[in-house]
Amino acid sequence: MAALRRTLHVASLAAGTHRTLAGSLADSCLADRCLWDKLHAQPRQGSVRTFDWFFGFEEAQGLLLPLLQEARSASPARVLDVGCGTSNLCTGLYTKCPYPVDVLGVDFSPVALAHMNSLLEGGQGQTPLTPGHLASRLHFVQADAQNLDQVAPSGSFQLVLDKGTWDAVARGGRPGAYKLLSECLRVLSPQGTLIQFSDEDPDVRLPCLEQGARGWTVTVQELGPFRGITYFAYMVRGCD
């Protein structure tokens, strides 16, 4: 979570807000929806229309695109991004993946989703996003990632992405983080892959995943360093 706290600080300064706000965000419960609504409502400067914790699609595509190529038997491959916020992970997959994908971004912040839908549809005089494959789709739904019953049936996604969402939910207590993991695994197809992107050390995260994902194979891959920080992709897959 150290990188997440640093990113909160830098992002707040870039948006022209006060240092005190950055500090209050870093010290707050990151599972609080009001906090995220406030953050996502901050004005964006220049041409940057999305905001990413840790890193964005450009850094992750080398890992994601080969997985989606493997999943081409399901056409389009279904991808779920839990706690998508205003990240460019969903939009990057939609606009740059050469294979057909059906991407769903889920977040509990209506402010974040309003921004992403505007970005997708070309609101405020912007150009609508163009899919990288004619059969690709992208949509956003407001939902709590710890309870996806109204969003996704069991086993319906080939790829589930969690970029910092476990980290944020765990700030409110480990039971919530385990509920998040359980829901991600419920909606994941038996041959699918869940990826948690984090800066948390494997000595801490792996035991949690091995406990919460019994019957699944858990591995970790180092990513980066990006801007001097090393990250990890924790992958949970069905046992062969």
Side-chain angles (χ1 to χ4, degrees), residues 187-235:
V187 302
L188 186 66
S189 72
Q191 294 77 38
T193 303
L194 162 65
I195 305 178
Q196 289 186 351
F197 294 108
S198 179
D199 67 333
E200 187 169 60
D201 192 274
D203 288 344
V204 177
R205 181 65 60 91
L206 284 177
C208 295
L209 293 178
E210 289 166 351
Q211 176 181 336
R214 289 175 180 160
W216 298 77
T217 299
V218 181
T219 59
V220 60
Q221 180 174 325
E222 188 173 298
L223 300 176
F226 305 130
R227 293 172 294 278
I229 300 172
T230 298
Y231 298 95
F232 302 96
Y234 296 96
M235 291 178 283

Side-chain angles (χ1 to χ4, degrees), residues 52-154:
D52 279 277
W53 310 115
F54 302 153
F55 50 82
F57 174 77
E58 294 297 329
E59 291 84 359
Q61 63 179 324
L63 176 63
L64 299 180
L65 294 184
L67 289 173
L68 291 169
Q69 185 176 23
E70 291 176 13
R72 290 176 68 185
S73 58
S75 186
R78 299 200 68 204
V79 182
L80 174 66
D81 183 4
V82 294
C84 63
T86 57
S87 165
N88 71 6
L89 211 53
C90 286
T91 55
L93 285 169
Y94 175 66
T95 60
K96 297 180 180 179
C97 182
Y99 322 115
V101 288
D102 183 359
V103 183
L104 173 62
V106 169
D107 202 279
F108 65 0
S109 169
V111 178
L113 297 182
H115 176 79
M116 296 308 289
N117 277 313
S118 176
L119 180 61
L120 172 63
E121 297 163 4
Q124 299 179 348
Q126 301 290 335
T127 303
L129 299 182
T130 303
H133 190 284
L134 289 176
S136 291
R137 297 188 294 269
L138 171 61
H139 44 288
F140 297 95
V141 173
Q142 184 180 353
D144 185 343
Q146 299 176 55
N147 184 7
L148 297 170
D149 287 340
Q150 303 302 313
V151 174
S154 298

